[in-house]
């Protein structure tokens, strides 16, 4: 079964955000930092030695912050639910995230939660804070996908498809908009799922929000080898012009990175010359070819 993480595209603020989140959220730690090298500068445009990516875990959720430049930004089409059954803790998180940020839904009482708020922080990352236990999701911080714009009405279809492709689909709790709710009627109001063993939340929103899925936030899939990489890539990719360096866009507009687990051994390996050759090779690829990366690293 493939494992997953969430990648957030940043324009030079990955390190600042990583330390901010690691100091703010429960069960948080920075786990790995990678830096740019001259290879592929025509693609990434970043200074040699600057931070390329920072990996961290927050409340059970693995996240990578990637310094990719100004091309993309995160938006509320992907947010993170935060389940903490402690009103004071939610208030502290809200206060910190609102510094330089903005409220999408003010912190207050709602029919689904007595103390809830949706905030977009100063980096553009969105958080839905709830005084609630995570329940069967069994994870404090859970990524949520809003299917809007052209993807509205396809949330349930998409989640079932992702589960089929990634090797595990379990609906945990699913509710739909009731009769009399206009364009929302019958659509997914709130769905909790396990996809390949990891919790996700999804919902439909046919309103014109002015945003949808972009590479500003993507799902990383770590595969066991080339065969699994090929299978998942072929099942998901639908936009040939979006294919680059392991990235693809699916039929719903969601961006993915399909990454063989051995990739870091080559592009972040201890041999600087081998690492340089592997990175040069990677920047020429669409789907990642682990044998070619290994050959490049070994010279």
């Amino acid at each position: 079964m493939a494992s997953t993480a969430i990648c957030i595209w940043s324009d030079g603020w990955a390190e600042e955000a990583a330390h901010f989140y690691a100091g703010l959220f429960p069960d948080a730690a920075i786990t790995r930092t990678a830096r740019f090298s001259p290879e592929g500068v025509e693609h990434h445009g970043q200074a040699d030695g600057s931070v390329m990516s920072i990996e961290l875990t927050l409340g059970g959720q693995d996240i990578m912050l990637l310094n990719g430049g100004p091309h993309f930004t995160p938006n509320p089409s992907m947010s993170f639910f935060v389940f903490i059954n402690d009103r004071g803790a939610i208030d502290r998180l809200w206060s910190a995230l609102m510094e330089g940020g903005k409220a999408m839904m003010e912190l207050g009482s709602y029919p689904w939660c007595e103390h809830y708020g949706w905030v977009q922080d100063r980096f553009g990352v969105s958080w839905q804070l709830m005084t609630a236990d995570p329940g069967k999701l069994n994870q404090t911080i859970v990524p949520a996908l809003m299917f809007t714009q052209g993807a509205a009405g396809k949330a349930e279809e998409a989640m079932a498809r992702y589960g089929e492709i990634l090797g595990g689909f379990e609906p945990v709790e699913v509710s739909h908009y009731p009769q009399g709710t206009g364009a929302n009627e019958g659509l997914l109001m709130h769905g909790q799922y396990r996809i390949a063993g990891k919790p996700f939340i999804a919902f439909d929103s046919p309103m014109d929000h002015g945003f949808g899925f972009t590479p500003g936030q993507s799902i990383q899939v770590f595969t066991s080898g080339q065969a699994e990489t090929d299978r998942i890539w072929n099942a998901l990719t639908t936009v040939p012009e979006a294919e680059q360096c392991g990235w693809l866009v699916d039929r719903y507009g969601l961006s993915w990175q399909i990454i063989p687990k051995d990739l870091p051994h080559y592009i972040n390996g201890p041999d600087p010359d081998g690492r340089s050759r592997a990175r040069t090779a990677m920047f020429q690829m669409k789907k990642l070819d682990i044998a070619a990366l290994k050959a490049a690293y070994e010279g």
Side-chain angles (χ1 to χ4, degrees), residues 203-222:
F203 54 98
D204 287 308
S205 183
M207 294 173 56
D208 183 5
H209 293 282
F211 57 77
F213 296 133
T214 77
Q217 292 140 304
S218 57
I219 300 178
Q220 296 178 313
V221 181
F222 301 97

Side-chain angles (χ1 to χ4, degrees), residues 35-198:
R35 297 184 179 275
F36 284 104
S37 58
E39 300 75 40
V41 67
E42 67 274 15
H43 297 283
H44 59 68
Q46 305 296 317
D48 184 18
S50 63
V51 171
M52 178 171 66
S53 62
I54 297 187
E55 297 172 36
L56 62 161
T57 180
L58 301 177
Q61 177 60 48
D62 294 325
I63 294 173
M64 171 186 281
L65 294 163
L66 172 68
N67 277 328
H71 314 294
F72 306 106
T73 56
N75 70 49
S77 63
M78 185 184 292
S79 59
F80 295 91
F81 271 78
V82 181
F83 298 99
I84 301 178
N85 202 3
D86 180 331
R87 190 183 183 104
I90 292 294
D91 288 344
R92 289 189 293 272
L93 287 172
W94 178 268
S95 178
L97 292 167
M98 276 293 291
E99 291 182 11
K102 64 179 181 180
M104 305 291 294
M105 296 181 68
E106 292 288 349
L107 185 64
S109 179
Y110 293 87
W112 59 88
C113 182
E114 67 176 17
H115 202 51
Y116 164 91
W118 187 340
V119 55
Q120 187 175 45
D121 70 23
R122 64 180 182 266
F123 304 109
V125 181
S126 293
W127 309 87
Q128 300 194 52
L129 311 181
M130 301 184 70
T131 52
D133 294 318
K136 294 180 181 179
L137 291 177
N138 198 33
Q139 188 167 293
T140 301
I141 295 178
V142 178
L145 305 175
M146 179 197 294
F147 287 78
T148 184
Q149 308 303 94
K154 300 177 181 178
E156 286 187 283
E157 171 192 316
M159 300 308 285
R161 178 168 173 78
Y162 298 156
E164 178 184 0
I165 293 169
L166 298 183
F169 176 65
E170 179 191 351
V172 175
E173 182 177 317
V174 177
S175 60
H176 298 87
Y177 286 99
Q179 291 184 350
T181 51
N184 290 327
E185 185 175 320
L187 300 184
L188 184 65
M189 182 167 65
H190 183 86
Q192 298 182 358
Y193 302 91
R194 288 193 178 278
I195 305 293
K198 291 293 290 184

